C-alpha cells in the first residue's frame, strides 16, 4: 500500500503492548492493517491488502466489506437534507460517512470470523484513512475473556466508552488514525507512535469521566486529581462524591448549598469533603458541588445506580458504579482495579518458577500469599530457592531469623514492618524487613512506587528462581514475574 506500512504496523504493535500491558497483561493486544483498494473491483489483484501478509486471515475474508458497508447505508434509510455554506463541505461529510460505514462493516466481518473459528479475540477498528489509493484501517484485537471480565457501564453507544479498557482502545485507535495520516510524508523521520503510555491512559481516564458526567461536562477527571492532591489541616482527603444531575430522584438531599461551589475550586471542595461520612456524600453534576445527599436505598422505586468518586488517600481516588470499581487513579495515573490474586493464576505462576513443587506445597504458599495481600500498609513476600543465601548477603539491610516454617499468623506480624519477607518454596523463613536491591531495568514503571520497582529490579537481577508478591499501599497487587 505504501513504503513504510511494515514500520507503521510494528510501531503500532509496540505501542499497544506498552499501553495495554500497563492495564492488564492478559489483554494480549494484536495490531494489523487492512487496506481496501479505493477504485479496485472485488476480484482484482490487491483489492484487499493485509499487513502483515502472514496474518491468519486472508484478503478473501474481507472482499465483501464494501458491499456490507453499502448495505448498511441502504438500511439506514433516506438521509435528511443537510445544508452547508460550501459545496465541498457536503462532499467531505459524505466521504467521512462512507469511511465510518467501512469501519463498521470491517468490525462485523471480524466478529463473524472470530465466532466461526472459535477465537478468543475481540476486534476494534479505526476509521479508515485514504492513503496511496487505499482505504487503510487499523485493527486492534484483544483477548475477549480478559476484556469482557471487567464491569461495563450500561447504555453503550458509538464512541461512548463503557469502561477503562474500552476508553483506552478508543484513544489508541485515535492515535493510530492521527499517525496514519502522516505515515507517508517525506520528512517523517520521527517514531510513528511516540506518545507516553501513561499519558494515553490519562486521556482514556478523561474520556471515561466525560462519559459519566451529566450533560458531558468536561474537567471532572482533572478536578478529582486536584482535590486528591490537597490536604485539609494536615489530613489526607478521604470522602465520597456522587455524580448526578441536579434534583435527581435517586438522591435524597441532606444539605443544599445556597451558592454551588465550582469544581475548579479544589480547595473548597477538599474542605467540603470533610462533611461526607458513611452513606452521606457530596453531590456534584461534574460542574458544581451543590450540597450533601444520600443515594436512595435499592428498595426505593426511585433508586438508580450512580457514579461514585471515592477519595481514598493523598493523590488517590477511584470511580465506581453499582458497587463495581471502574478505575483507580494514583498520582494522576489511571489503572484497572486490582483484586486479590487469583488462585489459578498464582498456582500457574508457581509451577513455572518452581516446577518441582507438589500441589500441597503450592496450596500452603497460596495461604501465605492470601495473608500477605491483606496487609493494609503494603508488603513484599519473596519466595526464592536462595532465601538462606540472600538473607546472609543482605545481612546489613534485613533482620535474619532462625530458620522456621512461616505460618499465616506469623506472617501477619512480620509484615507490620517495612521490607520484604524472604522464604524458601518450602515456606522456611530466613529473613524479614529486607531492603531489596537489584539492577535497573527498562521494565520499570515510573508511575508505581519504590516498593514495586524495587521488587521488580530484584526479581530481574536474582540468580535464583524467585517469585515476589508485591502488595502496594494503594491496594495494587502484583505477581513478579507476571
Amino acid at each position: 500500500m505504501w513504503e513504510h506500512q511494515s514500520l507503521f504496523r510494528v510501531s503500532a504493535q509496540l505501542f499497544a503492548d506498552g499501553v495495554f500491558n500497563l492495564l492488564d497483561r492478559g489483554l494480549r493486544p494484536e495490531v494489523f492493517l487492512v487496506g481496501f483498494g479505493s477504485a479496485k473491483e472485488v476480484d482484482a489483484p490487491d483489492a484487499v491488502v493485509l499487513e502483515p501478509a502472514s496474518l491468519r486471515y486472508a484478503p478473501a475474508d474481507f472482499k465483501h466489506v464494501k458491499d456490507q458497508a453499502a448495505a448498511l447505508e441502504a438500511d439506514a434509510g433516506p438521509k435528511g437534507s443537510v445544508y452547508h455554506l460550501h459545496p465541498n463541505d457536503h462532499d467531505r461529510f459524505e466521504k467521512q460517512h462512507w469511511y465510518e460505514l467501512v469501519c463498521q462493516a470491517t468490525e462485523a466481518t471480524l466478529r463473524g470470523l472470530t465466532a466461526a473459528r472459535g477465537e478468543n479475540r475481540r476486534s476494534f477498528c479505526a476509521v479508515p484513512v485514504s492513503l496511496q489509493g487505499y482505504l487503510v484501517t487499523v485493527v486492534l484485537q484483544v483477548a475477549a475473556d480478559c476484556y469482557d471480565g471487567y464491569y461495563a457501564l450500561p447504555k453503550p453507544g458509538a464512541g461512548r466508552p463503557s469502561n477503562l479498557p474500552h476508553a483506552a482502545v478508543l484513544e489508541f485507535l485515535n492515535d493510530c488514525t492521527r499517525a496514519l495520516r502522516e505515515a507517508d510524508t517525506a520528512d517523517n523521520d520521527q517514531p510513528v507512535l511516540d506518545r507516553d503510555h501513561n499519558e494515553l491512559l490519562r486521556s482514556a481516564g478523561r474520556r471515561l469521566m466525560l462519559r459519566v458526567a451529566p450533560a458531558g461536562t468536561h474537567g471532572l477527571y482533572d478536578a478529582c486529581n486536584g482535590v486528591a492532591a490537597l490536604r485539609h489541616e494536615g489530613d489526607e482527603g478521604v470522602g465520597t462524591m456522587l455524580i448526578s444531575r441536579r434534583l435527581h430522584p435517586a438522591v435524597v438531599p441532606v444539605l443544599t448549598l445556597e451558592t454551588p461551589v465550582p469544581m475548579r475550586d479544589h480547595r473548597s471542595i477538599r474542605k467540603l469533603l470533610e462533611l461526607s461520612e458513611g452513606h452521606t456524600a457530596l453531590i456534584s453534576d461534574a460542574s458544581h458541588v451543590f450540597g450533601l445527599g444520600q443515594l436512595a436505598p435499592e428498595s426505593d422505586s426511585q433508586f438508580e445506580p450512580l457514579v461514585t468518586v471515592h477519595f481514598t488517600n493523598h493523590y488517590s481516588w477511584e470511580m465506581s458504579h453499582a458497587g463495581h470499581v471502574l478505575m483507580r487513579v494514583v498520582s494522576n495515573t489511571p489503572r484497572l482495579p486490582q483484586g486479590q490474586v487469583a488462585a489459578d493464576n498464582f498456582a500457574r505462576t508457581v509451577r513455572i518458577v518452581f516446577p518441582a513443587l507438589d500441589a500441597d506445597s503450592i496450596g500452603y504458599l497460596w495461604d501465605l500469599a492470601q495473608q500477605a495481600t491483606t496487609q493494609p500498609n503494603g508488603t513484599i513476600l519473596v519466595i526464592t530457592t536462595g532465601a538462606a543465601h540472600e538473607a546472609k548477603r543482605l545481612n546489613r539491610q534485613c533482620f535474619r531469623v532462625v530458620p522456621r516454617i512461616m505460618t499465616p499468623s506469623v506472617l501477619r506480624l512480620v509484615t507490620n514492618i517495612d521490607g520484604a519477607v524472604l522464604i524458601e518454596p518450602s515456606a522456611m523463613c530466613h529473613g524479614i524487613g529486607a531492603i531489596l536491591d537489584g539492577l535497573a531495568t527498562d521494565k520499570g514503571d515510573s508511575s508505581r512506587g519504590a516498593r514495586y520497582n524495587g521488587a521488580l529490579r530484584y526479581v530481574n537481577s536474582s540468580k535464583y528462581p524467585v517469585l515476589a508478591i508485591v502488595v502496594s499501599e494503594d491496594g495494587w497487587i502484583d505477581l513478579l514475574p507476571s
Side-chain angles (χ1 to χ4, degrees):
M1 294 180 287
W2 82 99
E3 182 180 357
H4 303 297
Q5 65 183 41
S6 296
L7 173 62
F8 178 87
R9 202 272 309 172
V10 171
S11 298
Q13 180 65 60
L14 293 174
F15 189 46
D17 290 339
V19 170
F20 292 99
N21 283 346
L22 288 176
L23 288 179
D24 189 330
R25 290 184 179 273
L27 289 169
R28 303 195 305 277
E30 181 183 8
V31 180
F32 59 92
L33 308 179
V34 182
F36 304 96
S38 302
K40 294 186 178 182
E41 298 297 329
V42 173
D43 298 327
D46 297 332
V48 178
V49 176
L50 298 179
E51 170 59 44
S54 58
L55 198 65
R56 62 186 176 280
Y57 304 117
D61 294 328
F62 300 90
K63 66 180 181 179
H64 296 302
V65 165
K66 289 183 180 179
D67 293 336
Q68 293 176 3
L72 288 173
E73 187 172 30
D75 292 341
K79 291 173 290 188
S81 299
V82 181
Y83 298 94
H84 301 280
L85 296 177
H86 195 281
N88 288 342
D89 291 339
H90 187 270
D91 294 338
R92 198 156 37 240
F93 174 83
E94 292 289 337
K95 186 181 297 184
Q96 183 64 24
H97 181 61
W98 172 248
Y99 290 174
E100 291 171 357
L101 292 174
V102 171
C103 176
Q104 295 174 28
T106 306
E107 285 189 347
T109 299
L110 285 165
R111 280 196 300 270
L113 289 170
T114 55
R117 300 179 182 186
E119 295 177 342
N120 178 35
R121 307 301 283 169
R122 176 67 70 89
S123 304
F124 303 90
C125 298
V127 176
V129 173
S130 180
L131 188 62
Q132 298 292 318
Y134 282 88
L135 287 183
V136 183
T137 185
V138 178
V139 178
L140 170 68
Q141 289 189 327
V142 295
D145 56 351
C146 181
Y147 181 86
D148 295 335
Y150 289 100
Y151 176 78
L153 289 167
K155 300 178 182 178
R160 290 163 55 88
S162 56
N163 51 26
L164 186 59
H166 188 199
V169 166
L170 295 177
E171 284 293 324
F172 171 81
L173 293 177
N174 277 353
D175 273 26
C176 287
T177 299
R178 191 180 306 115
L180 198 58
R181 294 193 181 102
E182 304 171 356
D184 200 30
T185 57
D187 57 348
N188 186 23
D189 57 354
Q190 298 296 320
V192 177
L193 291 162
D194 57 357
R195 190 180 184 189
D196 180 76
H197 301 152
N198 283 310
E199 176 55 37
L200 184 141
L201 292 179
R202 283 189 280 272
S203 295
R206 292 186 181 93
R207 181 187 284 262
L208 182 60
M209 295 294 275
L210 180 63
R211 154 80 165 83
V212 303
T217 306
H218 289 267
L220 181 58
Y221 176 89
D222 293 306
C224 290
N225 278 321
V227 172
L230 296 177
R231 294 179 181 269
H232 177 66
E233 296 181 352
D235 293 333
E236 295 181 342
V238 177
T240 308
M241 182 165 61
L242 285 174
I243 309 299
S244 76
R245 66 179 188 273
R246 298 200 66 171
L247 304 179
H248 196 292
V251 175
V252 180
V254 173
L255 186 71
T256 303
L257 298 174
E258 186 174 282
T259 304
V261 178
M263 283 298 295
R264 64 177 179 273
D265 188 353
H266 302 161
R267 193 164 297 280
S268 295
I269 302 298
R270 170 63 190 87
K271 189 172 183 178
L272 288 171
L273 201 61
E274 294 291 316
L275 303 177
S276 65
E277 184 179 51
H279 296 292
T280 304
L282 292 184
I283 309 299
S284 172
D285 61 358
S287 178
H288 293 80
V289 167
F290 42 86
L292 287 169
Q294 297 179 353
L295 187 62
E298 293 188 34
S299 57
D300 195 307
S301 60
Q302 300 289 346
F303 172 79
E304 178 184 334
L306 297 177
V307 169
T308 302
V309 175
H310 181 54
F311 296 89
T312 52
N313 48 50
H314 202 210
Y315 288 110
S316 300
W317 57 278
E318 59 188 31
M319 181 182 76
S320 60
H321 181 268
H324 299 273
V325 178
L326 287 165
M327 173 174 65
R328 178 170 291 154
V329 181
V330 179
S331 299
N332 192 20
T333 303
R335 290 289 188 270
L336 289 168
Q338 300 294 316
Q340 298 294 322
V341 176
D344 55 347
N345 183 41
F346 179 83
R348 183 170 58 252
T349 306
V350 170
R351 290 191 186 97
I352 294 173
V353 180
F354 310 110
L357 279 186
D358 57 30
D360 290 338
S361 297
I362 294 175
Y364 191 80
L365 290 179
W366 167 243
D367 292 337
L368 293 179
Q370 283 188 303
Q371 181 60 57
T373 58
T374 63
Q375 173 54 256
N377 296 321
T379 190
I380 304 175
L381 177 63
V382 175
I383 307 170
T384 174
T385 56
H389 295 92
E390 288 296 276
K392 186 175 181 180
R393 182 179 70 83
L394 299 172
N395 180 55
R396 291 285 188 176
Q397 51 198 62
C398 83
F399 297 101
R400 295 177 65 188
V401 299
V402 176
R404 61 151 294 161
I405 295 294
M406 180 57 66
T407 64
S409 59
V410 175
L411 183 65
R412 180 177 59 82
L413 297 176
V414 300
T415 53
N416 284 327
I417 63 172
D418 194 22
V421 179
L422 301 174
I423 67 171
E424 294 177 339
S426 62
M428 187 70 69
C429 178
H430 292 271
I432 63 174
I435 307 302
L436 303 178
D437 57 8
L439 299 176
T441 171
D442 58 2
K443 297 180 181 179
D445 185 353
S446 60
S447 69
R448 301 296 301 275
R451 179 180 284 117
Y452 171 83
N453 283 288
L456 184 64
R457 288 194 299 269
Y458 179 81
V459 169
N460 285 338
S461 302
S462 177
K463 61 182 180 180
Y464 304 102
V466 58
L467 174 65
I469 298 100
V470 184
V471 183
S472 300
E473 191 172 353
D474 52 37
W476 290 354
I477 300 169
D478 296 275
L479 283 182
L480 299 176
S482 57

